[in-house]
């Protein structure tokens, strides 16, 4: 019997141009929507020169479509319906949520002072960061907690103190003679703090640039490198100073550039006379011959380009680590020249600082719980561990309320147990989130957040890159989810700040674009405004923006802040952990950027679980054999703070004294245990205890002393039976040969 022909029904689809919001690279993408407006597919979009530096795991294309329609999205405001941590909630209206928050906030402000209220921020996604900073200004609380003590501030201020501005980017049009990728992973993050794309690296290598990788883990750039250095985690500053010493002692520096465009060279030369290369080798695990060879390559194949990442910022001397790396740029004359690193003037849009602050309402920094960190105060943040310490001790005063936006402190702050105890102690906790998280689970009020593509907004972050991108709404948010900016704006009205905020929060978009001469709608047609790059030859006498108008090895501004004006080997080699710490915990734990995820976010997304479904740590096969742990099994990793489990992958590239652990892991499905943040979370093992970076409040997150076991070990700090005892790796086991 013949089957009647039926004409296929065509499902109409539409496409829209968007930018990724998963990481700060904001790659250009093209999104496809079905006839019901559901986002169904995303592809890269490199047309018209738009930045499109897609990471290998394609986090944006794989994550964003599912995120918008995921069944676990938070859709309605809720209040706690049981004891904290039981994950029991009652749906409420926005009016009830905001009225309750405003009532609590007014009470704590009036009874204990505005400083008793902590505003807690994470990685910016939209205008959320700007709005909460503005809210803090008019609330008059000095306690805004951000990830500044881990990311961006140290590199930005190293540039400011050396070059005079944080707006320093690599020149994508010239041909560098050498490239160092240092503490960065373009493969997984799509970019680096110098905004030099993967295609730019590929072109430079094709034209003959030498590639030097400084990376204790591994990414595909390591296999392309002419030199792959695997320094002791946390020893980057000492390594940089060793390279500086070679360049000065062997007179490989650019003598003309140093004489004309720098100050403080004699002081730097005197400093490198204070230590030997043998001391550098002992501190870094990089042998002297390799150290000399790598320094010579960078110094002689000019201009050099250093693409650094935030791994350099996780150190008790983080600012000086980054300053030490910057010394290399000044010595080789690699700043302001074609193919090197250039000062940029940001695109014309409202400076974020003007939005955050008001001269009539200065932040009362003298009352801040982070006031001992001068750079932190200038950058408008309190280090995360200062908040935890203050809550637990009530010193210098109690914190009565915390409001968290775009952040999950229990996963991302050092010492997760102390962080959990602190947030449990806060009398009133508000969390705005897109998905259930461990921090959300202990909140009093939960606010459902809309994603950037679910409302009109702009992407101005990271501000030091000088770019701004239009991100108009392309899809509806689920349920009653609001942009964080709207939440804060409406709360501000209830707090009596109406004159300082907006009738409709979206009016802020025109304000941010006022300097450009465009409205937000006009900007959406252009989509991107980029910075203007400048070369030294165009303004040789006024290029550098430091007080001396030169590249400063010796920084006047740092001296005025009471900080060492010059990085010193003694400070950089002073580890947070002494030799005695490694007697009981002989391995050095570090971590790298994962391919599938950004920080701790988006662990609900099935598309990315197919890429990486669990926490995986890496260890050298000889080390695994020594401690009787096997490839593919769950192993215990323990520090003096606690223990976790991650699945072991043996890897030849890992140094025998190193464990490369996975960051940001928790179990979103484990709702009976606050999403089980204890099992695999690396920050169970870290701590924020002093000493901290005296300038920025950074903590030591690289080279944490740990030990490993195949079976559950005894309590932390207890001696092991002889059959399971850990022993330090012998000197002959070290892999000191680093040249390919």
């Amino acid at each position: 019997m013949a089957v009647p022909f039926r004409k296929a029904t065509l499902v109409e689809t539409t496409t829209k141009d968007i930018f990724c919001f998963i990481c700060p690279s904001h790659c250009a993408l093209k999104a496809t929507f079905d006839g019901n407006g559901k986002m169904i597919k995303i592809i890269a979009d490199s047309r018209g020169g738009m930045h499109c530096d897609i990471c290998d795991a394609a986090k944006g294309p794989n994550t964003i479509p599912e995120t918008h329609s995921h069944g676990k999205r938070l859709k309605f405001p809720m209040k706690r319906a049981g004891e904290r941590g039981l994950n029991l909630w009652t749906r409420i209206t926005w009016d009830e949520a905001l009225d309750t928050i405003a009532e609590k906030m007014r009470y704590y402000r009036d009874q204990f002072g505005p400083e008793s209220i902590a505003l807690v921020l994470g990685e910016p996604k939209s205008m959320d960061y700007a709005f909460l900073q503005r809210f803090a200004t008019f609330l008059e609380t000095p306690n805004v907690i951000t990830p500044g003590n881990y990311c961006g501030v140290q590199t930005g201020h190293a540039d400011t103190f050396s070059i005079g501005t944080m707006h320093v980017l690599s020149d994508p049009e010239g041909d560098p003679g050498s490239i160092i990728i240092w503490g960065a992973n373009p493969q997984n993050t799509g970019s680096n703090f110098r905004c030099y794309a993967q295609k730019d690296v590929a072109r430079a290598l094709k034209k003959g640039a030498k590639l030097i990788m400084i990376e204790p883990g591994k990414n595909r750039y390591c296999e392309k490198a002419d030199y792959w250095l695997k320094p002791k985690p946390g020893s980057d500053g000492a390594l940089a100073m060793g390279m500086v010493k070679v360049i000065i002692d062997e007179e490989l520096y650019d003598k003309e550039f140093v004489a004309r465009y720098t100050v403080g060279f004699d002081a730097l030369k005197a400093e490198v006379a204070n230590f030997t290369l043998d001391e550098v080798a002992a501190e870094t695990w990089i042998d002297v011959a390799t150290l000399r060879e790598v320094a010579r390559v960078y110094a002689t194949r000019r201009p050099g380009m250093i693409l650094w990442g935030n791994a350099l910022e996780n150190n008790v001397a983080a600012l000086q680590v980054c300053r030490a790396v910057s010394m290399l740029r000044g010595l080789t004359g690699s700043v302001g020249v074609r193919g090197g690193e250039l000062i940029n003037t940001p695109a014309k849009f409202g400076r974020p600082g003007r939005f955050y602050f008001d001269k009539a309402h200065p932040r009362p920094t003298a009352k801040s719980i982070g006031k001992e960190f001068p750079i932190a105060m200038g950058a408008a943040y309190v280090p995360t561990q200062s908040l935890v310490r203050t809550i637990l001790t009530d010193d210098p005063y109690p914190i009565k309320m915390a409001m968290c936006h775009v952040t999950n402190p229990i996963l991302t702050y050092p010492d997760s147990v102390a962080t959990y105890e602190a947030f449990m102690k806060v009398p009133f906790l508000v969390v705005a989130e897109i998905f259930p998280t461990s921090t959300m689970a202990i909140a009093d009020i939960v606010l459902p957040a809309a994603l950037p593509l679910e409302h009109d907004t702009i992407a101005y972050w990271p501000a030091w890159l000088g770019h701004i991108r239009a991100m108009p709404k392309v899809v509806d948010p689920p349920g009653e989810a609001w942009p964080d900016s709207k939440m804060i704006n409406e709360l501000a009205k209830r707090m009596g700040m109406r004159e300082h905020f907006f009738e409709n929060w979206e009016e802020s978009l025109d304000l941010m674009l006022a300097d450009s001469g465009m409205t937000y709608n006009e900007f959406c047609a252009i989509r991107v405004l980029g910075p203007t790059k400048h070369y030294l030859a165009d303004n040789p006498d006024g290029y550098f923006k430091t007080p001396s108008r030169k590249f400063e090895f010796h920084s006047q501004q740092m001296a005025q802040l009471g900080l060492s004006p010059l990085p010193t080997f003694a400070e950089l080699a002073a580890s947070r952990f002494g030799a005695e710490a490694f007697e009981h915990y002989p391995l050095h734990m570090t971590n790298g950027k994962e391919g599938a995820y950004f920080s701790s976010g988006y662990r609900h997304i099935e598309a990315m679980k197919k890429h990486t479904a669990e926490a995986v740590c890496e260890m050298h096969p000889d080390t695994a054999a020594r401690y009787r742990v096997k490839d593919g099994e769950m192993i215990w990793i323990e520090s003096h703070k606690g223990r976790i489990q991650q699945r072991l992958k043996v890897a030849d590239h890992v140094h025998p004294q190193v464990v490369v652990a996975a960051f940001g892991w928790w179990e979103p499905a484990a709702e009976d245990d606050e999403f089980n943040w204890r099992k695999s979370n690396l920050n169970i093992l870290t701590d924020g205890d002093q000493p901290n970076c005296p300038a920025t409040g950074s903590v030591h997150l690289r080279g944490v002393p740990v030990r490993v076991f195949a079976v559950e070990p005894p309590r932390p700090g207890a001696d092991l039976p002889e059959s399971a005892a850990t022993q330090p790796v012998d000197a002959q086991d070290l892999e000191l040969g680093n040249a390919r």
Side-chain angles (χ1 to χ4, degrees):
M1 179 178 177
V3 177
F5 172 78
R6 293 185 179 180
K7 185 177 180 180
T9 302
L10 295 178
V11 178
E12 287 191 23
T13 61
T14 57
T15 60
K16 296 179 181 179
D17 296 329
I18 64 171
F19 292 108
C20 183
F21 56 79
I22 301 297
C23 94
S25 287
H26 301 304
C27 293
L29 306 172
K30 184 175 285 295
T32 300
F33 300 81
D34 67 16
N36 297 317
K38 179 181 178 181
M39 188 184 294
I40 56 176
K41 183 181 179 181
I42 287 179
I43 60 173
D45 182 9
S46 56
R47 303 167 307 153
M50 294 283 184
H51 178 83
C52 186
D53 196 25
I54 301 295
C55 50
D56 283 9
K59 288 190 281 287
N62 287 324
T63 297
I64 292 174
E66 187 179 339
T67 301
H68 288 294
S69 56
H70 199 286
K72 285 284 188 179
R73 281 288 300 274
L74 297 173
K75 300 177 181 179
F76 306 100
M78 302 183 295
K79 66 179 179 181
R80 179 166 54 84
E83 294 297 321
R84 274 190 176 174
L86 294 182
N87 205 34
L88 299 175
W89 306 98
T90 298
R91 177 179 167 180
I92 57 177
T93 66
W94 272 106
D95 281 338
E96 181 180 350
L98 294 173
D99 288 344
T100 301
I101 295 168
E103 180 183 0
K104 291 284 188 179
M105 191 170 282
R106 284 192 297 267
Y107 172 77
Y108 292 127
R109 179 196 63 190
D110 296 343
Q111 295 296 315
F112 300 95
E115 64 272 14
S116 69
I117 302 168
L119 304 179
V120 187
L121 279 161
E123 178 70 27
K125 295 297 181 189
S126 178
M127 286 288 288
D128 36 53
Y129 194 99
F131 264 81
L132 204 65
Q133 286 280 13
R134 187 181 183 95
F135 186 89
T137 294
F138 295 108
L139 181 63
E140 299 183 347
T141 178
N143 293 324
V144 180
I145 292 79
T146 83
N149 61 316
Y150 313 127
C151 184
V153 170
Q154 295 76 15
T155 50
H157 279 76
D159 281 336
T160 299
F161 292 134
S162 303
I163 298 170
T165 175
M166 65 176 60
H167 301 293
V168 181
L169 303 178
S170 296
D171 181 13
E173 297 180 6
D175 298 323
S178 58
I179 298 174
I180 301 178
I181 299 180
W182 201 330
N185 186 351
Q187 174 185 358
N188 286 346
T189 59
S191 190
N192 55 79
F193 288 170
R194 282 305 198 245
C195 213
Y196 198 69
Q198 296 186 74
K199 63 180 177 62
D200 298 322
V201 175
R203 185 187 66 250
L205 297 184
K206 188 175 182 179
K207 290 188 175 183
K210 294 291 185 180
L211 177 61
I212 300 164
M213 287 297 302
I214 302 178
E215 173 60 59
K218 183 181 180 181
N219 57 57
R220 59 181 165 83
Y221 288 96
C222 295
E223 297 178 339
K224 298 178 180 179
D226 297 279
Y227 299 90
W228 177 8
L229 276 60
K230 307 170 190 176
K232 182 177 76 175
S235 69
D236 304 272
L239 175 58
M241 290 301 286
M243 294 175 66
V244 168
K245 180 176 177 66
V246 171
I247 293 170
I248 291 178
D249 287 353
E250 299 186 8
E251 297 190 5
L252 301 175
Y253 54 91
D254 186 327
K255 295 180 177 61
E256 180 181 352
F257 182 91
V258 167
R260 182 176 180 184
Y261 296 112
T262 74
V263 295
F265 174 75
D266 289 341
L268 183 61
K269 184 176 181 180
E271 167 55 29
V272 300
N274 292 329
F275 60 91
T276 68
L277 292 183
D278 286 335
E279 290 176 297
V280 176
E283 173 62 25
T284 64
W285 300 344
I286 306 299
D287 64 272
V288 172
T290 299
L291 179 63
R292 287 188 186 279
E293 189 172 352
V294 168
R296 289 166 181 165
V297 168
Y298 174 74
T300 58
R301 296 186 65 88
R302 304 175 192 162
M305 186 181 291
I306 301 176
L307 309 179
W308 56 8
N310 99 292
L312 298 180
E313 301 172 314
N314 304 157
N315 191 289
V316 293
L319 177 60
Q320 297 291 15
V321 169
C322 297
R323 278 272 289 157
V325 173
S326 282
M327 301 297 99
L328 296 167
R329 298 179 171 115
L331 287 172
T332 57
S334 295
V335 180
V337 296
R338 188 167 295 278
E341 299 172 45
L342 309 177
I343 289 177
N344 285 254
T345 298
K348 287 187 177 181
F349 63 94
R351 300 276 70 77
R354 295 210 313 259
F355 191 90
Y356 300 172
F357 305 119
D358 185 284
K359 292 182 179 179
H361 294 79
R363 292 272 179 93
T365 54
K367 293 183 178 180
S368 173
I369 58 177
K371 64 183 179 182
E372 69 267 33
F373 303 109
I375 301 302
M377 293 298 93
Y381 75 88
V382 168
T384 57
Q385 73 275 9
S386 295
L387 174 66
V388 173
R389 189 180 303 130
T390 297
I391 294 172
L392 293 177
T393 64
D394 291 330
D395 182 18
Y397 46 75
I399 298 296
K400 294 294 185 179
M401 178 177 177
M403 189 163 72
C404 303
H405 288 260
V406 290
T407 184
N408 186 6
I410 291 176
L411 264 291
T412 58
Y413 285 14
D415 196 341
S416 288
V417 172
T419 302
Y420 172 80
E421 292 172 353
F423 278 90
M424 284 290 285
K425 183 183 175 184
V426 172
F428 193 71
L429 177 63
V430 180
V431 174
E433 263 297 352
I434 58 173
F435 284 114
T437 68
S438 303
T439 306
M440 182 226 81
I442 62 172
D444 295 286
I445 296 283
V446 174
L447 305 177
L451 289 165
L453 298 177
E454 295 170 349
H455 59 281
D456 289 341
T457 190
I458 58 175
Y460 71 92
W461 197 263
W464 63 82
L465 298 184
H467 293 80
I468 186 170
R469 292 173 173 83
M471 297 186 74
K473 177 181 176 179
V474 296
V475 62
D476 289 329
E480 296 176 4
W482 280 9
D484 295 79
S485 306
K486 181 177 180 179
M487 304 174 197
I488 299 163
N489 193 67
E490 295 306 308
L491 179 61
K493 296 177 185 178
R494 288 166 166 82
M495 291 296 296
M497 306 177 192
R498 183 179 292 269
E499 64 179 300
H500 304 299
F501 280 80
F502 310 91
E503 191 59 35
N504 184 326
W505 79 271
E506 290 170 307
E507 296 168 14
S508 67
L509 302 178
D510 285 340
L511 177 64
M512 287 290 286
L513 286 161
D515 289 356
S516 72
M518 290 184 289
T519 65
Y520 177 73
N521 287 337
E522 291 169 337
F523 178 47
C524 286
I526 297 174
R527 300 188 66 206
V528 176
L529 292 176
T532 302
K533 61 187 177 185
H534 305 285
Y535 292 95
L536 178 60
D538 298 331
N539 183 21
D541 296 323
Y543 188 76
F544 295 102
K545 310 304 179 185
T546 58
S548 66
R549 293 300 182 188
K550 294 185 177 183
F551 185 103
E552 295 194 359
F553 297 118
H554 184 283
S555 169
Q556 298 178 31
Q557 293 169 302
M558 292 184 72
Q560 291 167 358
L561 290 170
L563 304 170
S564 173
L566 192 77
T568 66
F569 183 77
E571 182 178 3
L572 294 170
S575 173
R576 160 71 175 79
F577 302 102
E580 66 281 357
F582 291 95
E583 292 176 3
H584 219 69
Y585 300 96
L587 300 177
H588 298 247
M589 183 187 72
T590 189
N591 68 91
K593 303 299 183 191
E594 288 196 11
Y597 305 100
F598 183 80
S599 192
S600 67
Y602 307 104
R603 306 288 164 143
H604 296 78
I605 303 303
E606 294 299 324
M608 299 317 293
K609 288 181 184 179
K610 294 176 183 177
H611 188 283
T612 305
E614 61 183 347
V616 176
C617 65
E618 293 184 325
M619 188 186 307
H620 192 275
D622 292 347
T623 312
R626 177 182 293 272
Y627 299 126
R628 303 181 186 134
V629 292
K630 297 179 181 179
D631 183 49
E633 72 179 4
M634 294 295 288
I635 69 167
W636 292 90
I637 310 173
E638 178 189 274
S639 76
H640 76 289
K641 281 289 183 178
R643 61 176 71 109
I644 62 172
Q645 284 187 297
Q646 295 194 354
R647 193 167 300 282
L648 176 62
K649 177 182 178 182
V650 296
D652 291 334
H653 64 265
V654 179
H655 191 286
Q657 284 186 276
V658 171
V659 176
V660 182
F663 171 80
W665 277 94
W666 53 296
E667 295 187 10
E671 296 183 9
D672 59 333
D673 190 20
E674 297 156 350
F675 309 104
N676 204 355
W677 53 270
R678 300 167 181 82
K679 181 180 178 182
S680 300
N681 175 15
L682 176 150
N683 277 317
I684 293 288
L685 309 178
T686 61
D687 68 59
D689 297 343
Q690 297 173 332
N692 308 132
C693 174
T696 66
S698 297
V699 298
H700 201 91
L701 301 176
R702 308 286 168 174
V704 176
V706 299
R707 57 183 181 176
V708 298
F709 305 89
V711 296
E712 184 171 6
R715 61 178 175 78
D719 290 332
L720 292 170
E722 186 175 352
S723 61
T726 58
Q727 298 293 332
V729 176
D730 295 332
Q732 60 264 30
D733 290 332
L734 301 185
E735 292 182 342
L736 294 177
N738 288 277
R740 278 193 56 188

